Amino acid sequence: MVYAVDKPSQVPLVVLSGGGGGARLAAALSKCTAQRPVIVVTNIGDDFEHLGLLICPDTDSVLYATSGKLDRDRGWGREGESWQVLDAIQGMAGPSWFQLGDKDLALHLLRAEQLRKGCDLAGVTQVLSERLDVPEGMTVIPATEQSVRTRVVTEEGELAFQEYFVGRRCEPALRDVVYEGIGDASPSPSLLAALDACVDRPIDVVLGPSNPFLSLGPILGIPGMLSELRGRARRVVAVSPIIGGRALKGPAAKIMTELGLPASAPGWTQWLAKRYPGFVDTWVWDDADRGLVATLPDSYDVRVTATVMSEPGIGEGLADWLLEVCSVAP
Ligand code: GDP
Ligand code: CA
């Protein structure tokens, strides 16, 4: 099937996302889908089984964010949440370390039901998108159908992602990250089908401001993912999650320091450029880091704009700005 839209401005924007900064960017872009359809490719490395249910934290954050149902104060889970089931589980000495709200649990139950009926992960995500009223033109696709599980090698030994992230609150110093199962994974067939639909014109790819080790790594490390994206992309843009030497939330800056990298926008840029040679065309830094642009060689196309999306209007401004940048070939 050939993508049936004539205007080049309607070629999809493909956004790679974790559950934090990337999900916020996806939410801002979900208001621009009349201008340009968006495909959000979500991190599967955080997925895990809990109470017999498959939980997909980053995919779910993107679903909640793009459907306007994310709890903005917490930055995860659904707004207007209640915790009766969790309280009852705790009261019965069940596992309560992972906070599952009642409404959130409803989504996990529906996912389990669809999976039991034989639906694949992309199909389930599509069903959940529809039921949550994710805007038309916004397609959320988990990066792969295979199981990829992030594990962190720390100074205290190896931990499963949720043990590290929730159980230990990212405290143990990180030495390495491994993505269990990634060697046998392949890009989601639904993603490839969506990309094939635009075979006659190049897409643009945006790496959301997500943790490069814990959110983008499990997506970009899937065999074939880099070449499928780069081979079809007109422009690949990466938005920095490091602002003024810090992460707005989560361990990205801490991990950079632990791995011996400079925790800064230039440090992030040079690490990504070395890890994925020739993949990114354009680097987007926050205004706060404008003064550091001159520290990188001119060969890096660095652009600077406001990116702190917790501030009113900034997400919408960043979404428009990215669409403008991506409307021109590099
Ligand atoms: P996780 O799945 O919750 O770990 O989230 P992500 O990997 O998607 O995002 C975590 C990163 O998002 C952190 O390093 C934050 O600094 C970054 N981040 C969160 N909100 C924003 C924002 O509004 N702007 C930018 N530039 N980065 C953000
Ligand atoms: Ca995550």
Side-chain angles (χ1 to χ4, degrees):
M1 191 181 87
V2 173
Y3 197 66
V5 176
D6 288 334
K7 292 187 211 147
S9 65
Q10 290 192 323
V11 174
L13 196 66
V14 177
V15 180
L16 311 192
S17 178
R24 274 186 176 159
L25 179 62
L29 285 164
S30 70
K31 305 202 169 83
C32 310
T33 53
Q35 260 168 284
R36 197 156 176 190
V38 177
I39 298 170
V40 187
V41 181
T42 55
N43 171 36
I44 39 34
D46 298 4
D47 293 4
F48 71 116
E49 294 246 345
H50 186 62
L51 297 167
L53 301 169
L54 176 66
I55 318 271
C56 307
D58 286 358
T59 302
D60 296 345
S61 287
V62 170
L63 290 174
Y64 293 148
T66 54
S67 62
K69 295 179 178 65
L70 185 75
D71 185 299
R72 292 187 145 259
D73 296 332
R74 277 201 312 271
W76 56 270
R78 273 191 77 161
E79 63 180 1
E81 192 56 282
S82 57
W83 306 92
Q84 300 220 25
V85 175
L86 189 68
D87 286 347
I89 288 173
Q90 199 160 17
M92 296 171 77
S96 57
W97 60 273
F98 191 77
Q99 296 208 290
L100 281 179
D102 298 334
K103 292 183 181 179
D104 196 25
L105 202 48
L107 176 129
H108 304 314
L109 289 170
L110 290 176
R111 172 181 286 123
E113 185 201 28
Q114 295 291 329
L115 288 172
R116 247 191 322 273
K117 282 184 183 165
C119 201
D120 66 9
L121 198 56
V124 177
T125 307
Q126 185 59 37
V127 170
L128 297 174
S129 292
E130 284 161 18
R131 305 225 181 144
L132 287 167
D133 283 329
V134 170
E136 219 170 294
M138 169 71 56
T139 310
V140 182
I141 308 180
T144 182
E145 287 294 327
Q146 285 82 37
S147 164
V148 175
R149 298 292 176 260
T150 299
R151 295 183 65 82
V152 293
V153 182
T154 75
E155 58 186 3
E156 299 174 20
E158 198 175 307
L159 298 170
F161 176 76
Q162 297 296 347
E163 280 177 72
Y164 164 78
F165 197 75
V166 180
R168 297 297 315 278
R169 296 171 192 274
C170 310
E171 273 162 24
L174 196 140
R175 299 269 179 265
D176 198 5
V177 185
V178 288
Y179 311 119
E180 198 177 79
I182 204 160
D184 298 322
S186 51
S188 163
S190 298
L191 172 64
L192 296 183
L195 300 181
D196 281 344
C198 353
V199 71
D200 60 335
R201 54 193 99 219
I203 55 164
D204 295 295
V205 176
V206 176
L207 309 191
S210 290
N211 188 307
F213 314 99
L214 301 176
S215 295
L216 299 179
I219 303 176
L220 294 175
I222 294 168
M225 184 64 89
L226 276 175
S227 56
E228 291 289 356
L229 292 174
R230 186 65 265 186
R232 298 156 196 260
R234 175 170 56 183
R235 187 192 283 275
V236 178
V237 182
V239 183
S240 176
I242 304 293
I243 297 172
R246 299 172 54 186
L248 294 181
K249 210 179 166 197
K254 177 176 176 282
I255 291 174
M256 291 183 82
T257 305
E258 290 163 356
L259 295 179
L261 304 165
S264 63
W268 164 83
T269 301
Q270 288 183 301
W271 183 82
L272 270 183
K274 195 167 162 208
R275 176 84 184 238
Y276 308 109
F279 185 59
V280 176
D281 300 304
T282 303
W283 308 89
V284 180
W285 297 0
D286 190 75
D287 281 330
D289 294 311
R290 188 180 294 276
L292 297 175
V293 175
T295 65
L296 280 189
D298 285 348
S299 53
Y300 287 92
D301 174 17
V302 179
R303 317 280 179 98
V304 175
T305 190
T307 73
V308 181
M309 292 174 275
S310 50
E311 293 170 15
I314 300 297
E316 288 77 0
L318 178 60
D320 286 339
W321 186 92
L322 281 169
L323 290 177
E324 187 70 34
V325 167
C326 290
S327 69
V328 183

